[in-house]
Amino acid sequence: MTTTEENSAILVDSNGGQVALKAVKVRARLHELVAEVEVEQSYLNPQNTNIETVYTFPLPIGAVLLGIELEIAGKKLAGQVIERKRAERDYEEAVTDGNSAVLLQETGPGLYTASIGNLMARESAVIRYRYALMLSWQGNKLRLLLPTTIAPRYGNAEAAGLQPHQIPEFSLIAEYPFSLTVLVEGSLASMTIASPTHTISYEKLANGISAKISGQAVLDRDFVLTLESSTAQSSCVYMPDGDEHVAIASLRIPPVAANDKKPLAVKLLIDCSGSMGGTSIVQARKAALEILNALRPTDSFNVTLFGSDFKHLFPHMVPASGKFITQAWNRLEQLDADMGGTEMESALAATFALKGSDGAPCILLITDGAVYEHEKLVRRAAASAHRVFTVGVGTAVVDDFLESLAMKTGGACELVSPQEGMSEKILAQFHRLRQPKLEQVQIDWPTTPEWTTPLPQTLFAGDTVHAFAGFKRAVDGLVTLRTTAAGQPLSVTTTPTLSGEKDLPRIAAAHRIKHATPEEMLALSLKYQLLCALTSYLVVAEREVKAVDLPELHHVPQMLAAGWGGVGSVASVRSSASTLDDADDGPFASELCDDGHGLSSIQPAFSSLVGPGSTKKITSMQSASYSMASSDIDEYAPEINKVTPAEFIANLERDTVRIIRSIKLPKTIEALEYLGMPSEDAACLREELAKGGREDAVVMAYLYALSESNIGHLFGRALKRAILKAWKDSGPDIDLDASMAP
């Protein structure tokens, strides 16, 4: 399924627009270079039936989730980090047993999904989660960015790893109250504090400064807080971690003068897609003109504009002379977001191919980053021999993508909210472009560490390096960062101090996970209770009165980012994440019939997919052609003669999942045959039936075995859950299930 900025869904529920998320409160604490953030999401089920509410939300780059708590039905329950597949299974078990549960998972770079299963009619619930974030000096400023909403993105969300229920939806009418308080402590409290995104009120406290959003705010823009000081310091802190100690050194590389005589070959790449309309394109226009001002006559440049297609201002690189600068200026003054979708890959490839300059090529990319499938773009850029410097603009920038794109290519990322100074950000990028490359970067610890995390692949003078290390004993002695720039040695030294931040070992473990093998990643995640691609947070709340029916699925739609698309709205049309009420073929049919993965091309027999077995086990999934002879199959009308496993499952999806509470599963073998089950499997089921079992139990055992096999991922979440519940209700038979197992 493909989602574009021009095709985003509006989701309203059956009560005419009410949604489950009611408010979000954020409390943050800044101390040293660590931000500790607690987020409270309040939910209320406005329906007369139990629901499952699903909310996909963003977190900042480098956020380390430290805990989750669920408050529901008068109980407060803490979540546990467990292996991902087990968490998903236990969550489904809880939901189908009628209990309440919360599943929190990382769904992509910077994206997380919280599912609350069985929020009862008119019931409220609160999810609280904590995370920590390392702050970094950029020049003389610290910048805290807390994302609040996800802007519509272009591309294939499922190809980027999101499951259908995790794909964000969008609403014109959704409005979520947002409150935020930041406590700034220690030496940070003496700095100049400001927010370019929100109106802030300040209160002086005994332990620092409290900064609070004044007036009413909603989740329609990222929150940014800046702290400015002329005395930026390096530091190192450590604390015990069991029998060992963990140290975190935050070292600011000394600034160096830029080489103004160094000629640059600048390829300016500007996003003019629909998502850039309004605020973002205004910022892009300012940035482009600032870049033209920063070019020197010895430089060369070109400008490429892109959306659904791309176009170069000049056929090749041209000198930064008055003639070409004027031509570019006249065109960029008229810049608009009128080029359709964000086809960034082809635009990058065309920009890489531009010829006509002897200088080392670099790209300055101006975009909001609103695309899926980030990893493919990053890999393509990393293989190009170009350094990519990104400038992220807008009120809901995809910061993780732009940071990764810059770091993997030897560039740097600057994010600019609408009220921040664009000139300062562009000058910072040009200073990095012209400064000499740092060589032989190393950190000298006072004693040999047991482990260290790798230094970033790309470093620039004036920026902060966070280094993590583990020791057998307390860290005593100087910590020194050494490097050279243009042959000149640079160094910075700091003295370790004991910290009272109890979460430092977990923060360090999270950074170790980024560079670990899958086995090490899982072990660290479970030991330190950290979320990663292999784990999930799970909370299960046992209910005295169980839910009888399966819950209705309710997505929490995103608020549109302020200024998005020019008017802060999207077209009211169906998208890949359509509403349940208007889905003619079931909410998951398109996912299985046209999901971009080529499921219809799966040809092997089912036995080759789930493993070999005896004739008493499921044996095949090839072809069948049957006529309707039973009233049980009157509702099933797929026009097929031969099907693959994926097509059989798609037929189940299409003809059973109409509305989430109205799933009617097949109860007879003949109905399964009509949906495409092969005759070999039908014969096996009839042999089981001849032993005296109930036909509906045999059918459920077959469907359950199929859903749990190694092609079980082809089932939509709702259908798989319905099968699990029906299998439980049918009274599982150990011998019968064993005969079905692959």
Side-chain angles (χ1 to χ4, degrees), residues 626-628 633 636-640 651 669-677:
Y626 305 99
S627 61
M628 295 174 62
I633 62 173
Y636 303 92
E639 297 177 359
I640 56 167
N651 292 334
I669 299 170
E670 190 172 7
L672 291 178
E673 289 177 301
Y674 193 74
L675 289 171
M677 183 182 73

Side-chain angles (χ1 to χ4, degrees), residues 613-693:
S614 70
T615 57
K616 295 297 182 181
K617 296 178 181 286
I618 299 172
T619 57
S620 64
M621 183 56 91
Q622 295 183 354
S623 63
S625 176
Y626 305 99
S627 61
M628 295 174 62
S630 167
S631 60
D632 185 67
I633 62 173
D634 288 344
E635 297 181 36
Y636 303 92
E639 297 177 359
I640 56 167
N641 287 322
K642 295 183 178 181
V643 299
T644 65
E647 289 168 335
F648 173 74
I649 296 169
N651 292 334
L652 278 171
E653 295 280 2
R654 183 179 64 190
D655 292 318
T656 62
V657 187
R658 295 283 179 178
I659 302 174
I660 203 73
R661 298 181 67 84
S662 302
I663 296 175
K664 187 175 182 180
L665 295 167
K667 296 181 181 180
T668 68
I669 299 170
E670 190 172 7
L672 291 178
E673 289 177 301
Y674 193 74
L675 289 171
M677 183 182 73
S679 55
E680 296 95 325
D681 289 358
C684 289
L685 297 192
R686 287 192 169 94
E687 286 185 39
E688 292 294 338
L689 188 60
K691 297 177 181 179

Side-chain angles (χ1 to χ4, degrees), residues 488-521:
Q488 298 298 315
L490 298 173
S491 66
V492 59
T493 300
T494 188
T495 302
T497 59
L498 182 64
S499 173
E501 303 290 339
K502 66 181 186 307
D503 290 318
L504 283 182
R506 298 180 67 194
I507 296 172
H511 284 266
R512 293 174 67 187
I513 285 172
K514 296 177 183 179
H515 309 283
T517 65
E519 294 78 12
E520 293 169 339
M521 182 185 301

Side-chain angles (χ1 to χ4, degrees), residues 13-25:
D13 63 29
S14 58
N15 281 352
Q18 299 183 59
V19 291
L21 182 65
K22 292 304 174 186
V24 173
K25 296 180 181 179

